[in-house]
Amino acid sequence: MKKVKIGFVPTRRSIFSAPDAIKYANLTRKKLEELGVDFVDITDINEEGLFYDEGDREAIRAKFTAAGVKGLFFPHGNFGTEYVCARLAKDMGLPVLLWGPRDERPEENGVRLRDSQCGLFATGKVLRRFRVPFTYMTNCRLEDEEFTRGLFNFLAVCNVVDVFRHIRILQIGPRPFDFWSTMCNEGELLEKFNIQLSPIPLSELTSMMKTVRADHADEVQEVVDYCTANMNICVKPEELNTIAALKVAIRKLADQYGCNAGAIQCWNALQTEIGIMPCAANSLLNEEGFPVVCETDIHGAITALLVEAASLNETRSFFADWTVRHPDNENGELLQHCGPWPISVAQEKPTIGYPLAFDHPGAVEAQAKFGDVTLARFDGDNGEYSMLLGNAKGVEGPYTKGTYLWVEVQNLKRLEAKLVEGPYIHHCVGIHENVVPVLYEACKYIGVAPDLYDPIEEDVKAYLRGE
């Protein structure tokens, strides 16, 4: 699981008990350490290790910036000082987690020590005034399950936001002419979201393949050996060597251009140049956590990055076509592609062979694991962007070629209408984990509208609240 560093900013207000605020800040520190959370503290900023003084704000900001924190956690040890929290949050521009420990029973004389919950109401309002989006973790005890769940949900949200703000995609070739559905607005992606493309022609790819064969033959052989050990090989030795050279070449180009995902024009010009389909090479890269998607689908590559970030990069995703309805299940649908899915997704030993609709080798065949999956699609047109989100489960269905999974959704007709009416297309990204709540919450920070294809918004909100 990827570690995500956050800034720990416990706060108090002067008219309530300072000793109790310090006590709860220390208890929260201890809990974070027990959970293995990577956090930057403010104990060196003042004697109490609490944030309540405007004079400490710049020192905290400088410390967190230097440490590269990805989010801010504001535990309210008592009522808290809402305006300093809001100012710091505005300065940092990072995801914010707002929480306070549940207040104890009033003392026999009627005195209340902390009023943490009341302070949360105040800070939430002031954050809104500052137009700072924030995540609220329900007022609970440190020992409650919703504290741990809410904290790790927030870490995943921070990871999604950080990844989204640093996307650079290696675009290998233009989109295939016939695929008007995968066109994207490069300038708009940069202007709106700082998503950067690094376009290269196919000739640069083939040139790099020659280089790796000449100068990095050992790396190519390592890939050949990996494939031989982990897949059924139904292609010629020289074809497998080409697959391995393609995989190494794409990764070296990605490193050269500083990219964290790729989108490739997988047909038909590539086959003329190198004689294979790139699916198996894509599969190998996807298994390494470097998403590569087909048909130069830039929005698909963005989706893959976000979906994996929502799992804290612990689970691999798969890029798929919505293809045909299940012949027997009214809410069933086939997710399939020629073979770019990572092998850890498969429920059987994958085969490198030939795809369904092409004569060139290099595709992967395997049925994916059953179980619960999240399906997502970042997309947009006419200047508006959203993320389609929902759940499904893998089910039995007829054999088909390529990498595939039959899934059942709550209401296929409703989903089908969303796909046709847009702004989505026939591509999606799946992952064997329920990351819908994390992606839903992350949307508030990245300026993208969440679009749930089932009416589960209240359930998602309840889960995020800790219910």
Side-chain angles (χ1 to χ4, degrees), residues 68-246:
V69 303
K70 307 304 182 185
L72 302 176
F73 180 25
F74 289 104
H76 283 45
N78 61 30
F79 190 97
T81 304
E82 65 268 32
Y83 72 92
V84 296
C85 294
R87 286 173 173 172
L88 179 63
K90 187 73 171 181
D91 288 344
M92 298 295 295
L94 297 170
V96 169
L97 179 61
L98 190 60
W99 169 81
R102 187 165 170 175
D103 296 285
E104 39 296 274
R105 180 189 299 270
E107 296 183 354
E108 290 185 3
N109 62 4
V111 172
R112 299 189 312 276
L113 297 176
R114 298 185 295 111
D115 279 18
S116 292
Q117 187 196 46
C118 189
L120 296 171
F121 300 148
T123 302
K125 178 62 174 179
V126 177
L127 287 170
R128 283 183 53 84
R129 290 289 192 192
F130 276 74
R131 296 195 174 185
V132 171
F134 63 92
T135 296
Y136 176 63
M137 182 163 62
T138 192
N139 183 228
C140 65
R141 299 179 178 91
L142 283 165
E143 299 77 22
D144 292 339
E145 187 274 336
E146 55 257 46
F147 178 86
T148 300
R149 187 174 78 186
L151 183 62
F152 279 96
N153 280 339
F154 178 70
L155 295 176
V157 168
C158 291
N159 194 40
V160 173
V161 175
D162 185 57
V163 167
F164 186 78
R165 291 175 176 177
H166 298 90
I167 290 178
R168 186 180 295 172
I169 297 170
L170 182 69
Q171 179 184 324
I172 305 172
R175 64 172 173 82
F177 171 77
D178 289 334
F179 272 67
W180 286 53
S181 58
T182 62
M183 70 170 61
C184 75
N185 189 325
E186 179 181 354
E188 191 169 75
L189 288 173
L190 180 60
E191 293 159 4
K192 276 182 172 287
F193 306 119
N194 193 38
I195 293 173
Q196 302 174 29
L197 308 187
S198 298
I200 65 168
L202 292 178
S203 59
E204 189 168 348
L205 174 63
T206 56
S207 176
M208 180 60 81
M209 290 178 67
K210 292 176 183 176
T211 298
V212 300
R213 277 177 155 154
D215 300 337
H216 303 279
D218 54 337
E219 294 182 42
V220 175
Q221 186 59 46
E222 286 178 9
V223 177
V224 170
D225 294 342
Y226 177 87
C227 293
T228 303
N230 293 282
M231 300 180 178
N232 301 312
I233 309 301
C234 295
V235 297
K236 298 174 183 176
E238 60 271 22
E239 294 168 340
L240 181 58
N241 185 272
T242 301
I243 291 168
L246 175 60

Side-chain angles (χ1 to χ4, degrees), residues 2 130 184 188 214 216-217 232 249 269 276 327 367 382 390 395 401 464:
K2 182 178 177 180
F130 276 74
C184 75
E188 191 169 75
H216 303 279
N232 301 312
I276 63 165
Q367 183 176 200
N382 300 293
V395 296
K401 297 280 284 182
L464 290 168

